[in-house]
Amino acid sequence: MKKFNAVALLIIALFFSFTSKAQSETTLEPKLENIAWISGNWKGEAFGGITEENWSEPSGGSMMATFKLINNDEVSFYEIEIIREVENTLILQLKHFNNDLKGWETKDETVDFPLKKITANKVEFEGIAFEKISSNKMNVYVDIKQKDGSIKTVTFNYTK
């Protein structure tokens, strides 16, 4: 009987382990309220400097952000970013600017990242992902094309 109880307990433990893993991986609807945890003032380090990213709460069908990279006490570049609801999905779009606000992209051009999927703690776009680590920690993973054509993923470890 003891052997049966041990096996039964193991099966129950495995079931709950798989169930909780499946729940954390459940795909959520492509709605801004499902990624509202991104909002806030985030600070971290990347590209050899200090980074700051400020995300608004969802409103008007979008979230917006500003980003800046500071190296040697000078701004290297800025970004303006938005995530918006379009045709029952989300898209992240951004524009880059030099420290004098001269744009990298042409006037009507944006860098677009279509949504791949949303789970309770992660939103994945094609080429960029946001992962909630805790209420005041977030990682952002950005795929950056290198001169040789390869892709390097840069991780931004942010704290609120």
Side-chain angles (χ1 to χ4, degrees):
M1 191 67 156
K2 286 183 182 179
K3 186 175 185 179
F4 172 76
N5 287 340
V7 171
L9 287 174
L10 178 62
I11 291 170
I12 290 169
L14 286 172
F15 171 78
F16 282 113
S17 172
F18 289 127
T19 301
S20 66
K21 175 76 173 164
Q23 287 174 346
S24 69
E25 293 298 317
T26 300
T27 301
L28 303 176
E29 286 187 81
K31 301 285 181 192
L32 291 171
E33 60 262 21
N34 289 329
I35 62 168
W37 54 265
I38 293 173
S39 65
N41 181 284
W42 299 95
K43 295 182 189 261
E45 296 180 12
F47 302 120
I50 306 296
T51 57
E52 186 174 332
E53 197 160 328
N54 297 290
W55 278 97
S56 70
E57 294 281 339
S59 63
S62 71
M63 295 173 71
M64 68 174 190
T66 56
F67 169 92
K68 70 178 172 180
L69 171 65
I70 300 170
N71 281 306
N72 301 319
D73 294 324
E74 284 189 18
V75 172
S76 295
F77 72 93
Y78 298 100
E79 288 178 357
I80 294 177
E81 306 169 65
I82 62 170
I83 299 174
R84 60 190 182 105
E85 294 179 353
V86 178
E87 299 175 3
N88 298 317
T89 190
L90 300 177
I91 187 166
L92 186 149
Q93 297 175 290
L94 62 83
K95 283 185 164 280
H96 298 91
F97 300 89
N98 292 329
N99 63 2
D100 61 0
L101 284 184
K102 290 192 172 119
W104 295 9
E105 291 82 24
T106 63
K107 178 179 155 185
D108 294 332
E109 182 185 17
T110 57
V111 181
D112 297 348
F113 302 88
L115 180 68
K116 289 172 65 177
K117 85 176 190 181
I118 300 173
T119 61
N121 294 317
K122 195 169 190 179
V123 56
E124 295 178 42
F125 295 92
E126 290 180 19
I128 186 168
F130 298 77
E131 180 181 31
K132 179 180 181 181
I133 305 303
S134 68
S135 62
N136 67 337
K137 290 189 185 289
M138 171 175 74
N139 290 340
V140 178
Y141 308 97
V142 180
D143 293 341
I144 299 177
K145 189 172 184 175
Q146 305 299 298
K147 289 179 183 177
D148 66 3
S150 65
I151 301 292
K152 178 182 177 185
T153 301
V154 175
T155 301
F156 296 77
N157 302 107
Y158 282 131
T159 304
K160 267 189 192 181

